[in-house]
Every structure is written in structure tokens, then in C-alpha cells.
Amino acid sequence: MKILIRVLLIGGVLFGAYVFRDRISGSAGDLQVGDCFDVPAAETDISDVQHHPCTEPHTGEVVYVGKHPAAKGTPFAESLLMEFAGSSCLPAFDAYVGSNSADGVDIGAFYPVVKDWDSGDREITCYLYRVDGTAMPASLKAS
């Protein structure tokens, strides 16, 4: 009987996590193209973001995830990251939205901080957001 209760409890937790996975706060590093989330207000070391279904109001939508090609041991330089983000994010934005005419929308990026860069993290996540900070009621994909 105790085993059955444990199995049911674990099953309930796993089912709930599956059903509500797009509403659970999670690592910014787990974001994928097409994911919608709330952009954190702070411009500091971002580790978690609040995920949302793209059919509900959200303030950010991922358009690109990729790795900077710099080898481990390359010194951290924010300008290096910004250059890579610009050359990768802008074409991804155009492809995702369908044109570069999305008024009032801009691109932001999550990228490694110095300690993560020094340990080999090279992932960059680019997302679109409204410049005025208002929520988007739906996905801007192919808008």
C-alpha cells in the first residue's frame, strides 16, 4: 500500500510538471527558439526566467540560441559578445518575424558573465521584446 501511494504521488508530480511546464520558472539557459517568457527587470546575472505559453501575455520571445565560436581560454570581452549577437540575432529576428518591419520591437540577449565565460560557457540567447515594455498578447512569429 505504501508503495502504491508513493508511485501515485510521484506520478502526480511528474504529470503536473509536464502539464504546467510552460508556466514554470526555469533556467534562462534552457530557453529554446520560440519560447515565450517574461524578461527579468534587472540587468544583472540572470539565471531564471518565468516561462509562458505564447498565447498568453509575455514580454520576451526567443528568436536565436547559439554558441559563440571563441575557444576556451579566450579572454572575456563584452564587445566580442555584442558583435557576435548582432551578426547572429538580426538575421534570426528577420527570419522569425518574417520581415524587419516589426514596429516597436527590439532584440535583447542573454550571454555568459565573466565567471561562466571563463569556465567555457559560450551560449547566447537572443529574444525580441517591445521597446515600451508592454506585454505581447501572442507570438510574433511570422507576424
Side-chain angles (χ1 to χ4, degrees):
M1 183 67 166
K2 287 182 182 180
I3 292 175
L4 179 61
I5 292 172
R6 286 181 184 165
V7 169
L8 289 174
L9 182 62
I10 291 171
V13 169
L14 292 175
F15 177 75
Y18 176 76
V19 170
F20 297 108
R21 71 188 178 281
D22 57 358
R23 290 177 166 73
I24 296 174
S25 175
S27 171
D30 293 338
L31 289 169
Q32 299 174 5
V33 173
D35 284 353
C36 295
F37 65 99
D38 283 337
V39 178
E43 290 189 30
T44 60
D45 185 5
I46 306 298
S47 57
D48 290 328
V49 294
Q50 179 63 51
H51 296 252
H52 288 284
C54 292
T55 55
E56 293 180 0
H58 56 280
T59 59
E61 191 166 341
V62 178
V63 297
Y64 174 82
V65 176
K67 292 193 183 271
H68 191 286
K72 191 172 181 179
T74 301
F76 179 86
E78 195 165 350
S79 61
L80 188 69
L81 291 166
M82 291 296 98
E83 182 181 313
F84 178 76
S87 66
S88 301
C89 297
L90 292 175
F93 173 87
D94 291 345
Y96 189 85
V97 174
S99 71
N100 58 4
S101 63
D103 292 330
V105 177
D106 203 355
I107 299 174
F110 296 132
Y111 52 85
V113 294
V114 176
K115 71 176 177 72
D116 294 333
W117 178 269
D118 290 345
S119 67
D121 182 5
R122 300 290 186 263
E123 188 168 279
I124 296 186
T125 302
C126 303
Y127 59 90
L128 55 87
Y129 68 94
R130 287 185 185 248
V131 176
D132 64 6
T134 60
M136 297 172 275
S139 174
L140 292 182
K141 185 171 186 173
S143 56

